[in-house]
Amino acid sequence: LRPQDVTHDTQAIVGRGGSGIVHSGTLTHPDGVVEAVAIKRLHAGATPGEERRFQKELAVSLRASQRCPRACQLHGWVPHEGALCLVMKLYAKSLHAHLDERRSTDGTACVRPLPYGDVTEFAAQILEGLAQLHAVGIVAQDLKPSNLLMDERGQLFVADFGLASVLAATTTTATAQSTTGAGGGTPAYKAPEQYS
């Protein structure tokens, strides 16, 4: 993307992660259409290793976006104030935010459980997304409600490929290469084998 086509509202933060902050902005397409977007910016003071991992995340996100309809759609990347930024579709909210809306005002209890039909529909959409990713050799290793984004129609999309593994398949074996190497992830959502 051309930097002049992307505006950044760094005061409007829509999310935070281990590698950076997500804020809102706009993207002007070649046909003149202006679209609201989410911009994930590598945090200030990133090490060279963190910069390499962010670039790998860009590559995996692009692969997922191009081949998987249930993956968060990536428009591209731009530099901004010396930092690399991923420019993505802006979704209405995360599944985490959707679930939080059903909690009591103090956040301690669920006062409006999801209807059974919603639970099964969300599960089907998540599984569809994972199947699409696996079909192109991507394993999402940080799957959690805050990394499942929801559009205005209630459709879910897998996001945040910072910890994803890309499978390098041969005729007899498949090996995984993580975008970040060992460690990382959200302890409450990690599979047991991710701790080894």
Side-chain angles (χ1 to χ4, degrees):
L1 300 175
R2 301 186 313 168
Q4 62 266 35
D5 294 335
V6 180
T7 61
H8 303 255
D9 184 356
T10 55
Q11 301 306 309
I13 296 174
V14 295
R16 296 180 188 274
S19 63
I21 295 173
V22 182
H23 60 269
S24 62
T26 61
L27 170 64
T28 302
H29 293 278
D31 61 3
V33 173
V34 178
E35 177 183 354
V37 292
I39 302 169
K40 184 174 183 177
R41 179 183 174 153
L42 184 62
H43 63 75
T47 66
E50 289 171 325
E51 290 178 4
R52 283 191 299 274
R53 288 193 295 270
F54 203 72
Q55 289 174 347
K56 287 181 183 176
E57 179 182 353
L58 168 61
V60 175
S61 297
L62 184 59
R63 180 177 185 170
S65 180
Q66 290 174 338
R67 300 181 185 183
C68 306
R70 287 248 177 237
C72 174
Q73 296 304 294
L74 177 71
H75 293 296
W77 68 275
V78 291
H80 180 68
E81 297 178 352
L84 177 65
C85 298
L86 307 185
V87 181
M88 304 165 285
K89 177 177 176 172
L90 180 63
Y91 292 87
K93 57 186 168 183
S94 67
L95 179 58
H96 185 272
H98 182 70
L99 296 173
D100 273 354
E101 292 169 354
R102 309 182 78 78
R103 292 188 162 281
S104 58
T105 53
D106 64 3
T108 60
C110 179
V111 293
R112 293 184 301 128
L114 283 176
Y116 178 75
D118 288 359
V119 173
T120 56
E121 180 59 30
F122 288 160
Q125 291 176 25
I126 293 165
L127 292 172
E128 180 181 30
L130 294 176
Q132 291 172 0
L133 291 168
H134 292 175
V136 298
I138 298 172
V139 179
Q141 295 195 135
D142 197 19
L143 191 66
K144 57 186 178 182
S146 59
N147 287 343
L148 293 164
L149 302 182
M150 183 181 291
D151 69 9
E152 297 79 5
R153 299 177 298 118
Q155 296 294 302
L156 293 176
F157 301 86
V158 182
D160 196 339
F161 297 99
L163 295 179
S165 289
V166 178
L167 299 178
T170 66
T171 54
T172 57
T173 63
T175 57
Q177 181 178 14
S178 172
T179 59
T180 61
T186 307
Y189 293 96
K190 286 174 75 167
E193 60 270 21
Q194 288 180 280
Y195 285 95
S196 57

